[in-house]
Amino acid sequence: MKYQCEGCERLVPVESFQVEGGQLSVTCRACGARTLAGPSLAPSPAAPPDAPRPEDAKVRGGGEGVAVALPAQAPFASAPPAPPRPNATALRVVRSDAPPAVSAIPDGDPFQAPPGHCPKCVAPLREDEGACAQCGLVYANFIPEEHQPSEVLATQWHALLRTWSDWDAHDRLLTTAMGRGELAMVGRLYRLRLARTPDDALALRGRDEVVRRVTSVVPLAADGPSPDLGRKVKNIVMGAVLLVALVLVLVLSQMMRGSF
């Protein structure tokens, strides 16, 4: 069974649930939004106004037999209503830990690391060291222009920051970067976002998705040596065989001349 989460607007399966105060509570594994749902029953249909009532019955007759007469009633104009059924379940999203649907545009340059982080790999840096312990960058030699995304990727990243809570926009950005060979740059952009907001669930998910896509791209291994290498080896072997054959012919001719 699946339901649509209003936190990230994705269709996610119900993997686990809890009952809180008579309501069903499910948590979205994608964005963390908690959804409460409970059935509301329709009111029971009232009895028809012309239905016979027990107090209207009259007892008549005598002896051992007793007959109970009810007042004459007009036939029902329509069939009695169907039994009550639960109405459609109303879903209410409690956004306690879901990411807010607001813009994620930073105050400064979105492509530069905030203070206290390596400008290249965005790792926390130490003030007493002149180089990054993680990527080995010498801070004095850093050139910002060498670590800028392409124009296409920069445009999509700016658009994504304005609709940060839309995971479909993240997925489109990752697909574009994968097709252009810029997954490493997108990973750096997500690390820049995490350096400013460490608890951003979508940034964590995006960074992990970059790692997953990078590791899933396995280069196709060749079954054997390349054709060019095979031809070169074949030519070398044939040349060596011909050379050995010529040497043997010369040796045999010398031996035959000496014998005569």
Side-chain angles (χ1 to χ4, degrees):
M1 183 178 65
K2 297 183 178 180
Y3 74 100
Q4 185 176 11
C5 174
E6 294 185 5
C8 60
E9 298 183 355
R10 294 175 70 89
L11 194 63
V12 293
V14 177
E15 297 182 348
S16 61
F17 62 88
Q18 296 178 348
V19 178
E20 301 179 1
Q23 290 184 314
L24 182 67
S25 173
V26 293
T27 302
C28 177
R29 66 175 183 179
C31 66
R34 188 161 57 91
T35 303
L36 298 179
S40 57
L41 297 177
S44 301
D50 52 356
R53 295 176 299 175
E55 56 268 22
D56 294 336
K58 296 180 180 180
V59 180
R60 62 186 179 182
E64 297 180 356
V66 178
V68 179
L70 295 175
Q73 303 293 335
F76 293 142
S78 60
R85 294 184 304 172
N87 290 337
T89 303
L91 299 179
R92 180 169 62 88
V93 175
V94 181
R95 301 179 183 274
S96 58
D97 52 354
V102 296
S103 174
I105 300 177
D107 296 334
D109 189 351
F111 305 129
Q112 297 298 326
H117 294 78
C118 173
K120 180 181 178 181
C121 67
V122 204
L125 55 83
R126 298 179 181 178
E127 297 181 357
D128 56 345
E129 296 182 357
C132 178
Q134 181 168 333
C135 67
L137 171 70
V138 178
Y139 302 133
N141 299 333
F142 177 71
I143 302 176
E145 291 75 14
E146 295 181 353
H147 301 278
Q148 293 291 324
S150 64
E151 184 177 354
V152 174
L153 195 63
T155 302
Q156 289 197 13
W157 183 258
H158 280 294
L160 176 63
L161 292 176
R162 291 191 292 268
T163 59
W164 187 253
S165 59
D166 183 9
W167 176 250
D168 291 336
H170 289 261
D171 187 69
R172 289 192 295 269
L173 174 71
L174 290 167
T175 302
T176 301
M178 188 172 182
R180 297 175 57 88
E182 295 187 81
L183 278 176
M185 179 57 67
V186 174
R188 179 177 182 271
L189 295 179
Y190 277 116
R191 292 196 300 272
L192 290 173
R193 175 65 182 170
L194 289 172
R196 296 182 175 92
T197 55
D199 298 331
D200 193 325
L202 287 175
L204 288 169
R205 181 180 177 184
R207 183 197 62 184
D208 295 342
E209 182 67 13
V210 169
V211 176
R212 187 191 70 81
R213 295 196 182 197
V214 170
T215 54
S216 64
V217 178
V218 180
L220 296 176
D223 296 333
S226 63
D228 294 338
L229 180 61
R231 284 194 296 269
K232 291 180 180 180
V233 172
K234 183 178 179 180
N235 293 335
I236 293 173
V237 172
M238 290 181 64
V241 171
L242 290 176
L243 182 60
V244 172
L246 289 174
V247 172
L248 292 177
V249 169
L250 292 175
V251 171
L252 290 176
S253 62
Q254 293 293 334
M255 293 177 61
M256 293 176 65
R257 288 180 182 178
S259 61
F260 290 111

